[in-house]
Amino acid sequence: MVNKLQLSHFLHGGDYNPDQWIDSPKVIDRDFELFKEAKINTVSLGIFAWSKLEPEEGVFNFEWLDNIFDRVEQQGGHVILATPSGAKPRWLAEKYPEVLRVNENGERNIFGERHNHCYTSPVYREKVQEINTKLAERYGKRKSLLMWHISNEYGGQCFCDLCQQEFRNWIKNKYQTLDNLNQSYWSSFWSHSYTSWDQVHSPSPLGDSTFLGLNLDWKRFVTERTIDFFKSEIKPLRELTPEIPITTNFMGGNPPDSHVFYDLDYQEFAKYVDVVSWDSYPNWSNDYESTAELAMKTALMNDMMRSLKHDNYLIMESTPSQVNWHPFNRSKRPGMHEMGSLQQIAHGANSALYFQLHQSRGASEMYHGAVITHAMSDNTRAFNDVKTVGGDLQKLQEAIQTKHQAAKVAIVFDYDNMWALDDSRNYADSTKKYWRTIQQHYKYFWEHDIPVEFVSVTDDLTPYELIIDPMHFMMDPAFADKLHNYVEHGGHIVGTYITGMVNKQFLAYLHGWPQALHDTYGIEFIETDTLYPKQNNELICHNKMYQVSDYCDLFKIDTATELGTYGKDFYAGSPALTVNSLGRGQAFYIGCRTDSAFLNDFYEQLSIQIGLTNHKPIKKISPKVSIQVRQNKKTDYYFVINFSHVESEITINGPVYDVLSSQMIESGNQKVAPYGVNIYSLDLKLKCNTCSTRPVLYS
Ligand code: GLA
Ligand code: ZN
């Protein structure tokens, strides 16, 4: 069942935890006054409120929550109602210790923290279903109920006996026979052959930790367990409130490297939610990268989240000011809150929601930024910043009917591949940098305002003109066939070093690459040279020399054409960059890790050749200014955002409407303030004058 989230305006608000203030009604009165002033229209309730909702087993107390619902409704707002499973009450852990998680050494946790329940425990599942049923019965028909927020940031794993048993069942179901399992894990090596299903055990520092097939299966299983728990959580909600959409807040993009959340396969998980939502906390103004560099990484995460369902998504949490858990918790510079919030909208988010609306007076997050701080004033920087964004979203209201401009470029991202490559016990752990490599390939397109989508190995590739497939170490033959087919029919692909080494069982390909991969790139892989950090090589291409580090693939040319060669070492002069023409398409292979100068030149030429360059009515001069487009059949919205502390200039081939300053702009130069945002809308009737220079996105 899929329930589309239908919105007539952007959501603005966030986590509200009034369970902390039940005994202080005046605080709650003031909160609601301030919500109104800050143009807050949505509150996420009950996220960790289980002990207030069910203070003793079977004793429920909903009056305080009824009251909050009433107040939200008096102001015409929405509620995103959470199921409280993210933090259990003490009585539950005391009475049913099986709900507590067990670590990889087999030790059971004592009560504490949050997000630490066993995903298998029948008791936990039952208790969660009970409270979820009560919530659905009581609030399912409230007019303000917009959506279910399932638990909070699912993550982690449990190694208890119940989970071990489920793992065994999962393995048995997958492999059917012990022979298949032994073959797949190559278990005769080190005398690890299984003779009974009972011997199957999760990876552990006390047992196996380098059994590659087992490690990967455990990671897959953890995703399966989490989704299975999620399905059990939502069962009563689907039954009692079939029309209410369901989401759970995903994580991602945290410092220092803005890495995608590692522990769960979100491409798989996303199939089970109605709308993707995620929590975004970029550490603006850090001391190791420019604002533009971090903006690029944050843009990428937003594109990744949009790509999970190839649809608009929600920001479920962000901070109005600083957080309390970054290595250094900097304040946002003036303008940055608007910059970051509207960046998300620009990439297809339909919300700016915060953690949290009212700052906790004590406990773990008392210094985390909030809309209403300890000062309880409407005159803090954070409050004013939030109010500004609230106003912007109101001005943008009609843009809720738009989507991010369709992309012609897609980057392949695959969790199995990421996990397998990291665990491969080959190359160099410190320089594999799969995620960083994806960022490096993405960067050119972000700087040139060319939209990018991310695809999984099961996605349809046909909507795209260019597929970038970096470091695809673990590649299924079916995907190699898909690439082959895609190129034959006119597609362009770019592959890189460390590709096509193992199949999905984590077994090496014998006799070289799968045939389809070999035929696609027209080369024959020989070996990968792993360089030490202080070593380098060169890529010579069109009489230019580019720096090469970390990895150099050596290969023989079959049907491909050489475009570049290595400059040094025993493989000097041998191919490093090739292109193969196949059917109506082309497959490029970049055999080594290059510097960004190469990727810039390479993608620039390719973009011209394929016709990816976007013709916009707005021209920028700085790569630190990003122009993202949301559009529908009637209107284009151009989000022009300056990710730098220096003012920049753009040229407009107008007329366009300036949404934030509410005025028409004719042609000419416009300023974009430091960390500033300009939004221009272009009406279809007007833009028809320039139809010939505009990419045709709707026919
Ligand atoms: C996460 C959690 C919130 C809160 C914030 C703080 O996203 O979901 O409950 O702890 O972090 O940034
Ligand atoms: Zn368990």
Side-chain angles (χ1 to χ4, degrees):
M1 185 184 327
V2 174
N3 288 314
K4 200 123 176 78
L5 180 67
Q6 307 282 359
L7 296 176
S8 56
H9 51 248
F10 289 95
L11 304 182
H12 188 228
D15 286 22
Y16 182 45
N17 302 301
D19 31 316
Q20 300 170 99
W21 308 98
I22 290 179
D23 301 329
S24 317
K26 286 206 174 108
V27 171
I28 295 177
D29 287 349
R30 178 76 179 136
D31 285 347
F32 275 87
E33 268 170 40
L34 292 173
F35 291 167
K36 197 163 182 191
E37 196 181 332
K39 303 176 183 7
I40 280 171
N41 57 31
T42 302
V43 296
S44 307
L45 295 176
I47 294 173
F48 299 113
W50 199 340
S51 66
K52 280 283 187 296
L53 295 169
E54 190 180 1
E56 288 171 48
E57 186 172 17
V59 177
F60 296 94
N61 174 13
F62 291 110
E63 284 73 33
W64 66 271
L65 189 54
D66 297 348
N67 174 266
I68 302 295
F69 262 90
D70 291 345
R71 310 202 54 157
V72 173
E73 285 170 11
Q74 277 155 23
Q75 290 192 1
H78 305 291
V79 171
I80 299 174
L81 185 57
T83 63
S85 64
K88 54 192 165 307
R90 282 184 193 272
W91 59 257
L92 182 52
E94 219 163 52
K95 183 154 179 205
Y96 307 103
E98 73 164 62
V99 307
L100 296 164
R101 219 169 254 186
V102 169
N103 72 15
E104 53 194 347
N105 293 332
E107 298 155 338
R108 195 175 288 280
N109 289 349
I110 59 170
F111 179 86
E113 301 295 335
R114 56 178 177 168
H115 302 150
N116 53 9
H117 48 273
C118 168
Y119 286 126
T120 302
S121 157
V123 172
Y124 201 62
R125 288 176 175 222
E126 186 191 317
K127 291 288 157 195
V128 168
Q129 283 198 348
E130 251 170 54
I131 185 84
N132 292 1
T133 303
K134 294 268 179 211
L135 288 168
E137 282 168 355
R138 195 160 184 113
Y139 301 108
K141 296 274 176 286
R142 295 292 296 232
K143 64 174 184 225
S144 55
L145 180 64
L146 181 72
M147 190 170 35
W148 289 108
H149 176 299
I150 307 302
S151 199
N152 191 69
E153 295 190 337
Y154 282 119
Q157 42 198 311
C158 176
F159 298 83
C160 77
D161 291 345
L162 296 167
C163 288
Q164 297 291 354
Q165 192 49 48
E166 285 299 330
F167 183 49
R168 263 166 232 135
N169 294 343
W170 185 84
I171 293 282
K172 200 169 166 183
N173 190 35
K174 176 169 176 180
Y175 293 98
Q176 301 289 324
T177 69
L178 286 169
D179 277 352
N180 287 344
L181 175 66
N182 284 322
Q183 173 68 17
S184 187
Y185 285 4
W186 210 248
S187 59
S188 56
F189 190 68
W190 289 358
S191 274
H192 273 40
S193 303
Y194 294 93
T195 53
S196 142
W197 296 109
D198 294 340
Q199 295 159 351
V200 172
H201 192 282
S202 62
S204 162
L206 306 175
D208 269 315
S209 61
T210 60
F211 209 3
L212 302 184
L214 178 76
N215 288 355
L216 183 61
D217 268 347
W218 175 258
K219 286 203 164 60
R220 291 165 169 154
F221 167 76
V222 168
T223 294
E224 184 278 341
R225 253 322 57 196
T226 310
I227 295 174
D228 194 65
F229 181 84
F230 167 86
K231 284 185 188 160
S232 137
E233 273 224 42
I234 67 173
K235 196 161 174 281
L237 311 180
R238 288 292 196 214
E239 279 163 19
L240 294 163
T241 61
E243 69 294 347
I244 302 291
I246 284 179
T247 191
T248 183
N249 49 338
F250 289 162
M251 291 174 266
N254 293 332
D257 54 5
S258 306
H259 201 292
V260 68
F261 183 66
Y262 199 81
D263 300 353
L264 294 174
D265 179 342
Y266 281 161
Q267 288 170 331
E268 184 59 25
F269 205 157
K271 294 176 188 162
Y272 300 90
V273 301
D274 295 326
V275 55
V276 166
S277 65
W278 74 289
D279 302 343
S280 177
Y281 292 103
N283 56 337
W284 299 117
S285 305
N286 65 51
D287 66 351
Y288 54 85
E289 64 193 343
S290 66
T291 301
E293 183 74 8
L294 179 55
M296 176 277 287
K297 295 175 176 177
T298 309
L300 188 164
M301 275 309 301
N302 279 278
D303 286 348
M304 168 74 77
M305 290 292 172
R306 187 188 66 245
S307 300
L308 292 177
K309 278 191 164 314
H310 302 290
D311 202 351
N312 291 7
Y313 58 97
L314 298 174
I315 293 293
M316 189 57 82
E317 291 179 24
S318 58
T319 179
S321 49
Q322 72 270 64
V323 302
N324 68 333
W325 54 268
H326 285 164
F328 300 86
N329 299 300
R330 290 213 82 185
S331 307
K332 287 183 184 169
R333 312 291 98 188
M336 272 191 169
H337 180 64
E338 193 182 17
M339 171 194 88
S341 300
L342 294 179
Q343 181 188 28
Q344 298 160 348
I345 303 287
H347 283 264
N350 280 347
S351 64
L353 299 171
Y354 312 116
F355 177 87
Q356 58 180 333
L357 295 187
H358 191 135
Q359 195 164 34
S360 304
R361 186 167 182 198
S364 158
E365 296 185 316
M366 63 184 285
Y367 292 118
H368 192 291
V371 177
I372 302 167
T373 61
H374 300 310
M376 292 180 63
S377 153
D378 61 354
N379 200 18
T380 59
R381 253 178 9 101
F383 190 87
N384 283 317
D385 282 350
V386 164
K387 200 162 140 182
T388 301
V389 169
D392 294 347
L393 295 180
Q394 286 182 347
K395 289 179 188 153
L396 264 173
Q397 183 170 343
E398 285 176 27
I400 193 76
Q401 309 302 347
T402 60
K403 291 191 175 190
H404 191 264
Q405 181 180 21
K408 293 183 189 169
V409 180
I411 299 180
V412 178
F413 172 69
D414 180 46
Y415 279 88
D416 276 356
N417 179 49
M418 174 175 73
W419 292 330
L421 177 61
D422 283 351
D423 202 28
S424 64
R425 304 184 70 71
N426 188 11
Y427 314 112
D429 284 345
S430 60
T431 58
K432 283 177 192 162
K433 298 185 179 166
Y434 175 56
W435 188 249
R436 181 75 195 124
T437 306
I438 286 182
Q439 289 171 334
Q440 274 160 339
H441 284 263
Y442 175 87
K443 187 173 178 177
Y444 173 86
F445 300 94
W446 182 76
E447 285 185 342
H448 292 81
D449 307 315
I450 298 171
V452 174
E453 199 81 0
F454 286 83
V455 286
S456 75
V457 291
T458 53
D459 275 336
D460 178 14
L461 305 182
T462 55
Y464 309 102
E465 303 274 344
L466 172 63
I467 300 286
I468 301 169
D469 189 22
M471 298 183 82
H472 205 152
F473 167 76
M474 172 173 276
M475 188 190 290
D476 196 44
F479 188 72
D481 288 346
K482 198 173 188 171
L483 281 182
H484 188 265
N485 198 29
Y486 168 77
V487 177
E488 262 195 325
H489 288 88
H492 300 82
I493 65 165
V494 175
T496 77
Y497 53 95
I498 310 188
T499 280
M501 305 309 293
V502 296
N503 65 17
K504 284 268 180 177
Q505 291 169 295
F506 222 138
L507 290 174
Y509 282 114
L510 302 179
H511 313 295
W513 275 357
Q515 192 63 39
L517 197 61
H518 171 271
D519 294 348
T520 302
Y521 288 116
I523 58 175
E524 210 170 292
F525 169 77
I526 304 172
E527 65 176 293
T528 302
D529 187 16
T530 301
L531 279 58
Y532 277 83
K534 288 184 192 152
Q535 298 170 335
N536 59 51
N537 205 313
E538 293 151 2
L539 165 62
I540 319 282
C541 176
H542 294 305
N543 295 324
K544 268 178 105 172
M545 197 258 284
Y546 301 96
Q547 284 302 312
V548 165
S549 57
D550 301 338
Y551 297 105
C552 297
D553 267 8
L554 277 56
F555 50 88
K556 275 203 301 224
I557 291 207
D558 189 354
T559 55
T561 306
E562 181 177 278
L563 298 177
T565 53
Y566 287 109
K568 295 203 301 197
D569 218 321
F570 71 91
Y571 41 92
S574 65
L577 173 70
T578 54
V579 61
N580 192 40
S581 295
L582 179 71
R584 291 186 287 119
Q586 283 181 314
F588 295 85
Y589 193 77
I590 306 175
C592 47
R593 183 169 285 166
T594 62
D595 56 12
S596 56
F598 170 76
L599 290 178
N600 269 330
D601 288 353
F602 176 76
Y603 282 126
E604 179 144 283
Q605 281 211 9
L606 202 52
S607 301
I608 295 168
Q609 186 205 317
I610 304 177
L612 296 174
T613 322
N614 249 322
H615 299 286
K616 293 195 169 72
I618 299 165
K619 296 263 169 297
K620 67 185 191 186
I621 46 172
S622 166
K624 296 180 178 179
V625 170
S626 154
I627 307 177
Q628 298 292 323
V629 186
R630 280 182 70 135
Q631 58 190 183
N632 60 15
K633 289 182 183 174
K634 283 200 229 136
T635 316
D636 281 354
Y637 289 86
Y638 294 88
F639 289 75
V640 182
I641 309 187
N642 182 2
F643 293 102
S644 122
H645 62 285
V646 182
E647 185 181 81
S648 194
E649 209 168 65
I650 49 170
T651 310
I652 296 186
N653 180 8
V656 293
Y657 182 70
D658 183 327
V659 177
L660 299 183
S661 71
S662 314
Q663 53 178 324
M664 285 306 293
I665 309 260
E666 300 303 322
S667 298
N669 291 351
Q670 293 283 317
K671 307 265 184 233
V672 197
Y675 309 131
V677 185
N678 298 1
I679 304 174
Y680 304 103
S681 67
L682 185 53
D683 196 271
L684 180 66
K685 287 190 205 103
L686 296 171
K687 87 188 163 195
C688 261
N689 302 334
T690 54
C691 270
S692 56
T693 58
R694 170 178 184 270
V696 180
L697 298 162
Y698 295 94
S699 47

